[in-house]
Structures are given as C-alpha cells and as structure tokens.
Amino acid sequence: MTTEPAAPSAEPGAGSARQLSGKALTGIIASLALAAFMMILNETVLTVALPGIMQDMAISASTGQWLTTGFLLTLSVVIPTTGFLLQRFAHRSLFFFAIISFIVGTAIAVVAPNFGFLLLGRIIQAVGTAIILPLLMSTTLTLVPVRLRGTVMGLNSIVIGVAPAIGPTVSGAIVHALGWHYIFVLMLPIAVAVLVLGAIFFKLPSTARKLKVDSASVLLSALAFGFLVYGISSIEQAADNATMMIASFGIGLVALALFIIRQVKLAPSGRELLNLTPFASRSFSFAIAMIMIAFGTLLGSLMIVPILLESGKGIDSLQIGIMLLPGGLAQAIASPIFGRIYDKHGARPVLIPGALLLAAGQWMYTTVTVQTELWMFMLCHIAFSIGLALLMTGLMSSAMASVDPRLFGHGSAIFNTAQQLGGAIGTTIFVTVMSLLSKVQLDAGSEVAEALFSGAHISFIVGAVLATLGIIFAFMIKGEKPSANR
C-alpha cells in the first residue's frame, strides 16, 4: 500500500501523525489489519466446530451458542468504552494489551477441561478483539488521506467481512484433520507472531490525554449492553424462565436510557464515555442500522448453515468449509475494487448494489430443502458475501465521513458496538427460530433433517425481510465523493 502524509486533522496529536512516512503508516495499518483479521477470524471459527464441541462436552445447541453469544456480549460491553480508551492511552499500549489478552484467552481455551473454561477463554479473547476493531478504524481515519480512505477501508473490510466468512472454512479443515481443540492450538503461535510484528512495526507517536473516566457511565454501559445481549440470547429459553428474560430486557433498556441521558449531559464538559453526537447525521444513523442488519444476517447464517448441513444432511466439516470458501474469496476480491469505486463515485454506487445482493443471498437461502445440492448453498453464500463486501466498504467510509475528526474514536466505537450487537441479535434470532420450530416439527413426528430445515426456512425468511429493509436504508444514505471533500 502506497500513501502520502495524512491530511490535516483536528484530532489531538494529528500533527505528529502527519510526519509519519508512507512506509511507517503502511506498517502500522498492516499490523492492525493482521491483528484484526486474526481476531475476527476467531469470532466465527467455532461455527463448523460447534457440533463436535456439543458432542464432546455433552451440551445442547443453545448452550454451545454461548461460545459465540458470550464472545459478542463481551464485545458489546467493552467496545463502548473504547472511545474513551483511545483518547486516554497510547495506541501502541492498547495494541499490546489487546494482543496479550487474546493470547491469554487462547491459552486458556487450549487447556480447557470443560465448557466453563472454554467459555472463559473466549471471553478473554473478546476483550482483545473489542479494542483492536475500533483501534483499526480510528487509526485509519486519523492517518490515511481522505482521497485514499475508501481504498484503505476496502482493504480493512476484507478483515472485517472476509475473516468471519472464511472462519468456517478454516475450522472445517482443522476439525476434519485434527479435531476442534487444534483450532486454538494453531491460533496461539499466530497470535504470538502478530505480537512480535506489532513490536517491530506499530510505532506511532502517543496522542494520549489525561482524562478522568466517569465510573457511572462505565457501569451503565456494562449494564445496558450486557443485559440487552443476555436478554436477546435468553429468548429461546423464555418458556422455561420468562421472568429472567423480561427482567434482563427491563434492566438493559432502563440502563441504556440512563446511559444516553448521562452522555448527553457530560458531553459539553468532555467527560462523556461515549459521545453520541455522530447520530445527529442521518447518514451515520442509517449506516448503523444497516451494519446491524448485515452483520446479524452474516453471523446468523454462518451459525445455522453448518448445523443444517452436518446434522441435517450428514455432510462433514471439511466439505462444509470448502463450500463456504468461494464466498470468502469473492469477498476478498470485491472489497478493494469497490473501495476504489467509492473513492471515485461516492457511497451509493457501492451501497445500493451491496444491499440488493445481500437481500438476494438471503432470499436464495429460503429456497433450500433437505434435497438441495451443496452447490446451491455455495451460490447463496457467494451472492451474500459479495453484497457484504460492498456494504462493509461503503458503510465504514460513508458513516465516518460525516463525523467530526475529533470524534473518530467515538464514532468507530459506536459503529463497532452496533456491528457486534447486530451479530448477537442475528445469531440469537436465527438459532432461536430454527430451534423452536424444529422442536415443534420433531414433536409432530417429523424426521430430524426435515425438522431442522423447516425451522431454518423461517429463520432465513426473517433474515431476508431484514435484508430487504436494508435496501431502503441504502437509498437514505447520502455521501459526497471523497475527492470532493479535499
């Protein structure tokens, strides 16, 4: 990646950042992108392995789902604090803390004797992931010139979009050859290598400022996002414990309202944990809604498709992984291409086709049955993946284009919180609908395969309706050509 010194920014410390050479900037972005790729790959790497984990540890699908939901819950709690963290601590220090947290979590997962320890390892991994994602976006927005931002965001979208798409492929091959434990065994040396590369290349002048954290805001944030995600995840067991689910939503919504009120109150003094000013932009707000839909349908689909194919059709994890690979490759190819299109023509030529393809992929999934051949699943995934590539490139760039440079850290924290919250909601909706409806079919005497596909059919319809709503949102996002800004 070739670049030039970043354009002036109003963000504190931007002056020293502009003195970085193109080579140094490339090293910083590459270090962050590699770390983010590894961590987001880890986010979906257990989807194909989940049936094996469920069998080995004698747990249900709803319990096993917590390996993903617990991960997303942690992200949803930690990410809102990163707007503050990015201002309070040196970016280099945050990078090392994130990588070391990921290494510790991975090491725990390697030796986990039971499901509880495996979940603990995933939660500690998520702490590192929660920091790396906003750090990548904020650093890109602060250091990369506006006219190159779409291209670099396109490359970043490979990290954010392709990594979860190829996660099942990687895990499928590993599970087939070695077993699910080796997903973590092989991840550990990669994480150590990323740490070493970061020590060499991630050299950025500190822009840290001494800020006092508002403890009440941290508490309210944790209560709001933690209980909301928990409430969403407990919908499947609502019949057994409706009181807990209702209480979770109640606490979460009240805490969220108090959190918003407090942030608005503290904003004039600069003591807020998360600045909500970016929501004043209509384009930013619609971009947030769209990223929640996109990531929700992505993780929801990636969660239930392997279960359908392995438990419903008897297809092994390696074949499932290979089937998903073309979609990941298509996304990797499309992302930088459409990043350059965004740089030349703005958001709409990228977002509208992306939303259409995303919806098309979801509607195609609604047609699959027990008799559907594997190649049809592959076509569904390819259409969906290309649409996601276009959306990720356009959404990240257009959402942040309307944000004051001083608030890039807060804007990226909001964007990534919405992304992970959308993922948690999507995963829960897809799995819950499939589980509940398939149970009804089983009780009525249907075969396991027919019951699973019947439940999944409704899950895909829900995803398709949401993706279709995203098409409307795409038309609501307006953005000038980046070249017109400077």
Side-chain angles (χ1 to χ4, degrees), residues 100-115:
I100 291 171
S101 296
F102 185 84
I103 290 173
V104 170
T106 304
I108 291 174
V110 167
V111 300
N114 53 46
F115 179 76

Side-chain angles (χ1 to χ4, degrees), residues 252-310:
L253 290 172
V254 171
L256 180 61
L258 293 175
F259 175 77
I260 292 172
I261 292 171
R262 188 162 184 84
Q263 301 320 293
V264 172
K265 180 179 178 181
L266 293 176
S269 64
R271 294 179 55 237
E272 75 281 10
L273 181 69
L274 187 64
N275 193 300
L276 303 178
T277 303
F279 280 111
S281 165
R282 187 181 74 168
S283 291
F284 183 88
S285 299
F286 279 114
I288 293 301
M290 283 194 70
I291 194 60
M292 293 184 72
I293 291 173
F295 226 64
T297 51
L298 168 67
L299 293 189
S301 299
L302 288 179
M303 178 63 70
I304 68 172
V305 166
I307 295 175
L308 276 181
L309 294 176
E310 188 163 344

Side-chain angles (χ1 to χ4, degrees), residues 3-324:
T3 186
E4 61 186 42
S9 169
E11 187 165 72
S16 56
R18 291 199 304 273
Q19 298 171 9
L20 291 173
S21 66
K23 183 178 180 180
L25 178 55
T26 300
I28 292 169
I29 299 296
S31 298
L32 280 169
L34 184 59
F37 185 87
M38 171 188 69
M39 292 184 181
I40 303 177
L41 179 71
N42 173 74
E43 187 169 332
T44 58
V45 80
L46 291 187
T47 53
V48 174
L50 188 57
I53 295 174
M54 289 162 53
Q55 183 177 358
D56 287 355
M57 295 188 167
I59 58 175
S60 66
S62 58
T63 301
Q65 175 194 330
W66 273 95
L67 291 175
T68 296
T69 303
F71 191 94
L72 294 173
L73 189 152
T74 305
L75 293 179
S76 299
V77 170
V78 177
I79 288 177
T81 69
T82 56
F84 168 81
L85 295 176
L86 289 170
Q87 296 180 76
R88 177 62 181 83
F89 299 100
H91 289 188
R92 180 179 169 86
S93 298
L94 289 174
F95 176 85
F96 283 121
F97 176 81
I99 300 297
I100 291 171
S101 296
F102 185 84
I103 290 173
V104 170
T106 304
I108 291 174
V110 167
V111 300
N114 53 46
F115 179 76
F117 275 90
L118 183 58
L119 180 58
L120 175 63
R122 290 283 286 172
I123 289 172
I124 296 175
Q125 283 181 327
V127 173
T129 306
I131 293 173
I132 282 293
L133 295 178
L135 184 58
L136 170 63
M137 185 181 294
S138 180
T139 301
T140 299
L141 291 167
T142 303
L143 301 184
V144 175
V146 173
R147 66 182 184 82
L148 297 177
R149 195 171 289 165
T151 299
V152 177
M153 282 294 193
L155 295 172
N156 287 348
S157 74
I158 295 178
V159 169
I160 296 175
V162 174
I166 68 170
T169 303
V170 174
S171 64
I174 294 174
V175 170
H176 180 80
L178 302 169
W180 65 265
H181 290 88
Y182 281 86
I183 291 175
F184 299 105
V185 172
L186 297 176
M187 190 74 73
L188 196 56
I190 296 174
V192 173
V194 171
L195 181 66
V196 173
L197 289 174
I200 297 172
F201 295 108
F202 196 93
K203 298 177 179 179
L204 181 66
S206 174
T207 60
R209 295 183 291 154
K210 288 187 177 181
L211 300 173
K212 185 177 180 180
V213 65
D214 181 58
S215 301
S217 293
V218 174
L219 177 61
L220 288 172
S221 173
L223 290 174
F225 295 106
F227 273 98
L228 284 175
V229 173
Y230 181 81
I232 292 166
S233 302
S234 62
I235 290 175
E236 185 180 351
Q237 290 80 38
D240 300 324
N241 198 346
T243 302
M244 178 63 73
M245 184 197 72
I246 294 172
S248 296
F249 276 115
I251 295 172
L253 290 172
V254 171
L256 180 61
L258 293 175
F259 175 77
I260 292 172
I261 292 171
R262 188 162 184 84
Q263 301 320 293
V264 172
K265 180 179 178 181
L266 293 176
S269 64
R271 294 179 55 237
E272 75 281 10
L273 181 69
L274 187 64
N275 193 300
L276 303 178
T277 303
F279 280 111
S281 165
R282 187 181 74 168
S283 291
F284 183 88
S285 299
F286 279 114
I288 293 301
M290 283 194 70
I291 194 60
M292 293 184 72
I293 291 173
F295 226 64
T297 51
L298 168 67
L299 293 189
S301 299
L302 288 179
M303 178 63 70
I304 68 172
V305 166
I307 295 175
L308 276 181
L309 294 176
E310 188 163 344
S311 301
K313 292 176 67 70
I315 297 173
D316 66 45
S317 56
L318 179 60
Q319 287 180 283
I320 296 172
I322 293 173
M323 180 276 293
L324 293 171

Side-chain angles (χ1 to χ4, degrees), residues 405-416:
R406 294 173 299 173
L407 301 178
F408 279 160
H410 292 280
S412 63
I414 294 171
F415 190 90
N416 283 283

